[in-house]
mmCIF file with all atom_site columns, all heavy atoms in Angstrom:
data_model
loop_
_atom_site.group_PDB
_atom_site.id
_atom_site.type_symbol
_atom_site.label_atom_id
_atom_site.label_alt_id
_atom_site.label_comp_id
_atom_site.label_asym_id
_atom_site.label_entity_id
_atom_site.label_seq_id
_atom_site.pdbx_PDB_ins_code
_atom_site.Cartn_x
_atom_site.Cartn_y
_atom_site.Cartn_z
_atom_site.occupancy
_atom_site.B_iso_or_equiv
_atom_site.pdbx_formal_charge
_atom_site.auth_seq_id
_atom_site.auth_comp_id
_atom_site.auth_asym_id
_atom_site.auth_atom_id
_atom_site.pdbx_PDB_model_num
ATOM 1  N N   . TYR A 1 186 ? 20.309 19.441 16.913 1.00 0.00 ? 972 TYR A N   1
ATOM 2  C CA  . TYR A 1 186 ? 20.113 19.387 18.355 1.00 0.00 ? 972 TYR A CA  1
ATOM 3  C C   . TYR A 1 186 ? 21.038 18.359 18.997 1.00 0.00 ? 972 TYR A C   1
ATOM 4  O O   . TYR A 1 186 ? 21.351 17.321 18.401 1.00 0.00 ? 972 TYR A O   1
ATOM 5  C CB  . TYR A 1 186 ? 18.662 19.016 18.681 1.00 0.00 ? 972 TYR A CB  1
ATOM 6  C CG  . TYR A 1 186 ? 17.663 20.119 18.432 1.00 0.00 ? 972 TYR A CG  1
ATOM 7  C CD1 . TYR A 1 186 ? 17.201 20.385 17.140 1.00 0.00 ? 972 TYR A CD1 1
ATOM 8  C CD2 . TYR A 1 186 ? 17.174 20.893 19.480 1.00 0.00 ? 972 TYR A CD2 1
ATOM 9  C CE1 . TYR A 1 186 ? 16.282 21.401 16.903 1.00 0.00 ? 972 TYR A CE1 1
ATOM 10 C CE2 . TYR A 1 186 ? 16.248 21.912 19.257 1.00 0.00 ? 972 TYR A CE2 1
ATOM 11 C CZ  . TYR A 1 186 ? 15.807 22.150 17.961 1.00 0.00 ? 972 TYR A CZ  1
ATOM 12 O OH  . TYR A 1 186 ? 14.896 23.155 17.730 1.00 0.00 ? 972 TYR A OH  1
ATOM 13 N N   . TYR A 1 187 ? 21.450 18.682 20.234 1.00 0.00 ? 973 TYR A N   1
ATOM 14 C CA  . TYR A 1 187 ? 22.259 17.763 21.039 1.00 0.00 ? 973 TYR A CA  1
ATOM 15 C C   . TYR A 1 187 ? 21.573 17.553 22.383 1.00 0.00 ? 973 TYR A C   1
ATOM 16 O O   . TYR A 1 187 ? 20.759 18.383 22.821 1.00 0.00 ? 973 TYR A O   1
ATOM 17 C CB  . TYR A 1 187 ? 23.661 18.338 21.273 1.00 0.00 ? 973 TYR A CB  1
ATOM 18 C CG  . TYR A 1 187 ? 24.471 18.529 20.006 1.00 0.00 ? 973 TYR A CG  1
ATOM 19 C CD1 . TYR A 1 187 ? 24.327 19.678 19.234 1.00 0.00 ? 973 TYR A CD1 1
ATOM 20 C CD2 . TYR A 1 187 ? 25.367 17.553 19.581 1.00 0.00 ? 973 TYR A CD2 1
ATOM 21 C CE1 . TYR A 1 187 ? 25.058 19.853 18.067 1.00 0.00 ? 973 TYR A CE1 1
ATOM 22 C CE2 . TYR A 1 187 ? 26.117 17.713 18.413 1.00 0.00 ? 973 TYR A CE2 1
ATOM 23 C CZ  . TYR A 1 187 ? 25.950 18.867 17.666 1.00 0.00 ? 973 TYR A CZ  1
ATOM 24 O OH  . TYR A 1 187 ? 26.669 19.039 16.509 1.00 0.00 ? 973 TYR A OH  1
ATOM 25 N N   . LEU A 1 188 ? 21.920 16.449 23.036 1.00 0.00 ? 974 LEU A N   1
ATOM 26 C CA  . LEU A 1 188 ? 21.373 16.188 24.370 1.00 0.00 ? 974 LEU A CA  1
ATOM 27 C C   . LEU A 1 188 ? 22.108 17.045 25.396 1.00 0.00 ? 974 LEU A C   1
ATOM 28 O O   . LEU A 1 188 ? 23.331 16.940 25.537 1.00 0.00 ? 974 LEU A O   1
ATOM 29 C CB  . LEU A 1 188 ? 21.527 14.704 24.720 1.00 0.00 ? 974 LEU A CB  1
ATOM 30 C CG  . LEU A 1 188 ? 20.657 13.716 23.932 1.00 0.00 ? 974 LEU A CG  1
ATOM 31 C CD1 . LEU A 1 188 ? 21.085 12.286 24.232 1.00 0.00 ? 974 LEU A CD1 1
ATOM 32 C CD2 . LEU A 1 188 ? 19.196 13.915 24.273 1.00 0.00 ? 974 LEU A CD2 1
ATOM 33 N N   . LYS A 1 189 ? 21.366 17.897 26.070 1.00 0.00 ? 975 LYS A N   1
ATOM 34 C CA  . LYS A 1 189 ? 21.979 18.736 27.106 1.00 0.00 ? 975 LYS A CA  1
ATOM 35 C C   . LYS A 1 189 ? 22.069 17.973 28.418 1.00 0.00 ? 975 LYS A C   1
ATOM 36 O O   . LYS A 1 189 ? 23.087 17.997 29.114 1.00 0.00 ? 975 LYS A O   1
ATOM 37 C CB  . LYS A 1 189 ? 21.154 20.004 27.291 1.00 0.00 ? 975 LYS A CB  1
ATOM 38 C CG  . LYS A 1 189 ? 21.720 20.948 28.340 1.00 0.00 ? 975 LYS A CG  1
ATOM 39 C CD  . LYS A 1 189 ? 20.864 22.206 28.457 1.00 0.00 ? 975 LYS A CD  1
ATOM 40 C CE  . LYS A 1 189 ? 21.440 23.148 29.518 1.00 0.00 ? 975 LYS A CE  1
ATOM 41 N NZ  . LYS A 1 189 ? 20.618 24.381 29.659 1.00 0.00 ? 975 LYS A NZ  1
ATOM 42 N N   . SER A 1 190 ? 21.004 17.290 28.768 1.00 0.00 ? 976 SER A N   1
ATOM 43 C CA  . SER A 1 190 ? 20.984 16.508 30.005 1.00 0.00 ? 976 SER A CA  1
ATOM 44 C C   . SER A 1 190 ? 19.929 15.426 29.888 1.00 0.00 ? 976 SER A C   1
ATOM 45 O O   . SER A 1 190 ? 19.031 15.507 29.042 1.00 0.00 ? 976 SER A O   1
ATOM 46 C CB  . SER A 1 190 ? 20.689 17.397 31.219 1.00 0.00 ? 976 SER A CB  1
ATOM 47 O OG  . SER A 1 190 ? 19.413 17.999 31.086 1.00 0.00 ? 976 SER A OG  1
#
Side-chain angles (χ1 to χ4, degrees):
Y972 287 80
Y973 297 84
L974 291 171
K975 181 179 180 180
S976 61

